[in-house]
Amino acid sequence: MSDVIEITVPDIGDFDAVEVIELLVSVGDSIDAEDGILTLETDKASMDVPSTSAGDIVELKVAVGDKVKQGDVIATLRVSADAGDSDDSVIITQALPEEAAVAAPSQADESAPQDSAVPAAAQPSAVTITVPDIGDFDAVDVIEVEVSVGDVVDIDDPLLTLETDKASMDVPSTHAGTVTAVLVSVGDQVKQGAAIVELQVSGDAASEPVAAEAAPAATAPPPAQPSEPQAAKTQPSPPAAAPAAPGAVNEAGFSTAHASPSVRKLARELGVDLSRVKGSGHKQRIIADDVKAWVKSALSSGASAGGGSLPATPRVDFAKFGQISEQPLTRIQKISGPRLQASWINLPHVTQFDLADITDMDARRKALKEKAASSGVKLTPLAFIMRAVVQALNEYPRFNASLNADASALVQKHYCHIGFAADTDDGLVVPVIHDADKMDIYELARALADLSVAARDGKLKVNQMQGATFTISSLGGIGGTAFTPIVNAPEVAILGVSRASMQPHWDGEQFVPRLMLPLSLSYDHRVIDGALAARFTTYLNQCLANVDGLMEAIP
Ligand code: CAO
């Protein structure tokens, strides 16, 4: 047996609408008495509201931006029966069964006798909907809450939308019922198992949950960085690190940083990611001087590197020169833009151009095309190119690697997952063909077609956009003779493919027509030297020219 207690706002003086500026805990967190639950801010001060007891957070009743006053319930906490604290600011409301998945009954149910003779299944009961399996993410942003208290929902109705750096997905309801509590707000971060909504459902429905699967709401952008919380864990301590750009704060790390509200406020004002600051106070508490020292050192290291913030492009009032209209960027474009920019700024890019003779390859493709089509496979040059790329990556594994978080070591990947840029109405996405090295031409062609359709229909699953080790961007179906693709960081190279054209080739005695494929290999010069890049494209050309080698069965 355990008690659930309510934590309320204590006496905070003569304020009756104080803003919640930070949540310091999440549902499921185990906390000690006196641990901060949230930070409030008036126009004069900010303050942490501590927990009155040790226990596990069952529910957060407020979100950042809410206004609260003395006595408002901010969270519920499950405490062991003997740990309950009878402090004035907490009220013990009810005992809960041990099953965490079943939520506390709503206020209206509290009068119901606990030992009622009616079988439990026939009574309305409360069900807590949790975040289903969403892949390897442990801090996913809630970007939309689609229900409110009082709404009636059916099974599979979307409750909220989550967004990772690669995709957004709806979390559907596993039960039909009436929403009695919404436990998350836009801007919260959640992980698998986090409680998000409480429903009042009929007894029968409560016992038959439907397995929920997060459904992609839209497809996602190309350059994929490692997930931020992971990257943050391995970030070196300052002062070596550069200052975090505004918006680059690791919120999860920030909220758990050991710092007082005033220091947090200072850090937010200065755009300092507290998760990267080392505390010099008692028990490594971060004090104001640590934040200031971090800023100073970050600025000076930026200055000595000739860096500092980037110069801004000119702001122009376009309307001064004629009529204008504005079209908002799509969600995918808003996500992919900063990623592309980050790669462009952080990676020293070089592009190696080459021309591959694909005359024989294309003749073979055309010969096989109809037969392949009769089995439902559209055989485009890209499947052959992908097979050749796999062979080249096998020969030059440095292209199938990434730098680690502090760029001190090369992480060699012993798997081969090839991403390919796909053009969709909403922007560029990069589906990933996993274990491409284990596929023959036909399997690659089928995977390409299936993933392209899913990308254009906005139906790519999260794992279909993760884990690429190398990316191909083909504009061959459209045109052009060369381009400079941006590396899909943290990968170290990307192959751009332009449209093949028949060109005169001198065979030593005469000009002969050959079908030539333009290749543009962009690479991260920190990892790959120009000579290696030229060897890679030369080898790739040989693979493309050796059509029998491309068609060989995969061992
Ligand atoms: N040279 C000549 N013809 C080519 C070719 C090449 N390099 N690549 C493809 N083609 C031909 C195909 O054979 C096909 O012709 P048929 O219909 O007569 O057989 C036609 O062009 C169209 O091909 P496709 O584009 O439908 O298929 P694909 O497998 O080549 O490409 C995909 C699939 C998803 C990569 C492509 O559709 C796409 O979205 N490309 C755009 C990628 C992009 O935007 N990159 C830029 C990123 S950087 O900003």
Side-chain angles (χ1 to χ4, degrees):
M1 230 24 185
S2 57
D3 288 335
V4 170
I5 63 171
E6 290 180 342
I7 310 287
T8 59
V9 178
D11 182 2
I12 49 172
D14 283 335
F15 298 102
D16 61 359
V18 182
E19 194 174 349
V20 177
I21 59 160
E22 201 173 337
L23 291 174
L24 306 174
V25 294
S26 309
V27 170
D29 283 358
S30 294
I31 57 169
D32 284 333
E34 296 304 319
D35 277 356
I37 290 184
L38 48 75
T39 306
L40 301 177
E41 191 176 65
T42 67
D43 54 353
K44 299 203 178 70
S46 59
M47 64 202 95
D48 286 349
V49 175
S51 178
T52 50
S53 296
D56 296 336
I57 299 285
V58 176
E59 190 179 331
L60 285 166
K61 300 279 195 182
V62 291
V64 170
D66 286 355
K67 298 256 167 79
V68 294
K69 60 179 187 307
Q70 182 179 348
D72 283 352
V73 178
I74 53 172
T76 56
L77 189 75
R78 178 174 292 117
V79 295
S80 62
D82 53 354
D85 187 331
S86 57
D87 187 285
D88 281 346
S89 62
V90 300
I91 310 148
I92 296 186
T93 53
Q94 62 211 342
L96 272 186
E98 291 303 317
E99 292 83 48
V102 180
S106 63
Q107 297 288 336
D109 297 322
E110 283 178 29
S111 56
Q114 297 299 305
D115 55 353
S116 164
V118 183
Q123 291 185 359
S125 56
V127 167
T128 301
I129 312 286
T130 58
V131 176
D133 182 0
I134 49 171
D136 287 341
F137 296 101
D138 57 6
V140 181
D141 288 334
V142 177
I143 60 162
E144 209 172 319
V145 177
E146 307 193 43
V147 290
S148 316
V149 171
D151 284 358
V152 175
V153 294
D154 269 338
I155 289 174
D156 280 342
D157 278 357
L159 300 175
L160 47 83
T161 307
L162 302 178
E163 187 178 72
T164 68
D165 56 352
K166 301 200 180 77
S168 66
M169 65 207 90
D170 287 338
V171 176
S173 182
T174 50
H175 292 77
T178 306
V179 176
T180 54
V182 178
L183 309 177
V184 291
S185 310
V186 170
D188 287 355
Q189 292 202 316
V190 294
K191 61 176 192 265
Q192 182 179 346
I196 49 173
V197 164
E198 283 179 8
L199 290 184
Q200 190 73 26
V201 299
S202 75
D204 289 343
S207 55
E208 291 169 15
V210 173
E213 192 185 331
T219 47
Q225 304 281 5
S227 73
E228 277 169 23
Q230 280 175 4
K233 274 184 216 155
T234 50
Q235 290 292 347
S237 317
V249 169
N250 163 13
E251 289 294 341
F254 195 102
S255 61
T256 54
H258 191 28
S260 70
S262 56
V263 170
R264 290 169 187 283
K265 188 160 178 268
L266 175 70
R268 285 214 183 270
E269 281 168 4
L270 297 175
V272 173
D273 183 349
L274 278 184
S275 66
R276 304 175 74 188
V277 179
K278 210 169 184 171
S280 65
H282 181 56
K283 290 189 179 174
Q284 280 87 50
R285 195 170 184 88
I286 300 168
I287 58 173
D289 282 349
D290 297 327
V291 175
K292 290 176 194 161
W294 191 89
V295 172
K296 265 190 209 158
S297 123
L299 284 175
S300 61
S301 66
S304 62
S309 61
L310 289 171
T313 52
R315 281 172 183 256
V316 175
D317 177 7
F318 305 109
K320 274 200 327 203
F321 306 103
Q323 201 184 352
I324 58 165
S325 62
E326 255 185 34
Q327 200 184 354
L329 294 184
T330 64
R331 205 182 47 76
I332 289 177
Q333 288 165 336
K334 280 186 194 153
I335 300 169
S336 63
R339 295 285 183 210
L340 289 163
Q341 189 177 15
S343 178
W344 185 250
I345 293 168
N346 287 302
L347 273 59
H349 277 75
V350 181
T351 305
Q352 168 74 23
F353 300 104
D354 212 337
L355 273 177
D357 185 336
I358 60 164
T359 316
D360 297 343
M361 181 208 94
D362 208 50
R364 183 75 64 91
R365 180 183 75 88
K366 286 190 171 126
L368 297 170
K369 200 175 151 189
E370 243 174 69
K371 192 167 164 234
S374 65
S375 335
V377 176
K378 184 178 178 192
L379 215 47
T380 65
L382 192 52
F384 292 80
I385 296 166
M386 202 169 271
R387 181 79 200 115
V389 162
V390 165
Q391 292 174 340
L393 290 176
N394 192 35
E395 185 72 15
Y396 294 99
R398 202 171 174 84
F399 288 78
N400 200 54
S402 285
L403 281 174
N404 68 354
D406 66 359
S408 61
L410 196 65
V411 180
Q412 186 64 57
K413 294 157 202 171
H414 301 290
Y415 50 84
C416 185
H417 303 333
I418 306 290
F420 65 96
D423 183 32
T424 76
D425 288 345
D426 287 333
L428 192 61
V429 295
V430 184
V432 179
I433 300 184
H434 292 96
D435 296 318
D437 53 333
K438 298 186 175 68
M439 295 187 185
D440 63 24
I441 299 282
Y442 297 103
E443 290 167 325
L444 287 170
R446 195 182 290 277
L448 268 168
D450 290 350
L451 288 169
S452 301
V453 170
R456 283 173 188 142
D457 292 348
K459 289 196 174 143
L460 282 176
K461 298 209 171 86
V462 175
N463 65 357
Q464 291 175 314
M465 290 178 278
Q466 287 179 331
T469 56
F470 184 94
T471 295
I472 301 176
S473 177
S474 173
L475 293 173
I478 303 170
T481 54
F483 64 110
T484 52
I486 297 178
V487 174
N488 191 8
E491 294 158 39
V492 293
I494 180 169
L495 181 72
V497 178
S498 299
R499 193 162 186 79
S501 63
M502 207 52 95
Q503 296 187 14
H505 173 77
W506 184 252
D507 72 359
E509 290 174 5
Q510 58 183 334
F511 281 106
V512 286
R514 304 294 293 177
L515 185 63
M516 304 304 284
L517 178 74
L519 302 176
S520 311
L521 177 80
S522 292
Y523 55 90
D524 181 345
H525 207 348
R526 295 173 301 171
V527 176
I528 290 158
D529 292 334
L532 190 67
R535 286 192 188 101
F536 183 88
T537 52
T538 303
Y539 187 80
L540 184 60
N541 291 354
Q542 288 165 12
C543 296
L544 285 165
N546 176 11
V547 64
D548 288 335
L550 292 176
M551 299 302 299
E552 262 170 24
I554 310 302

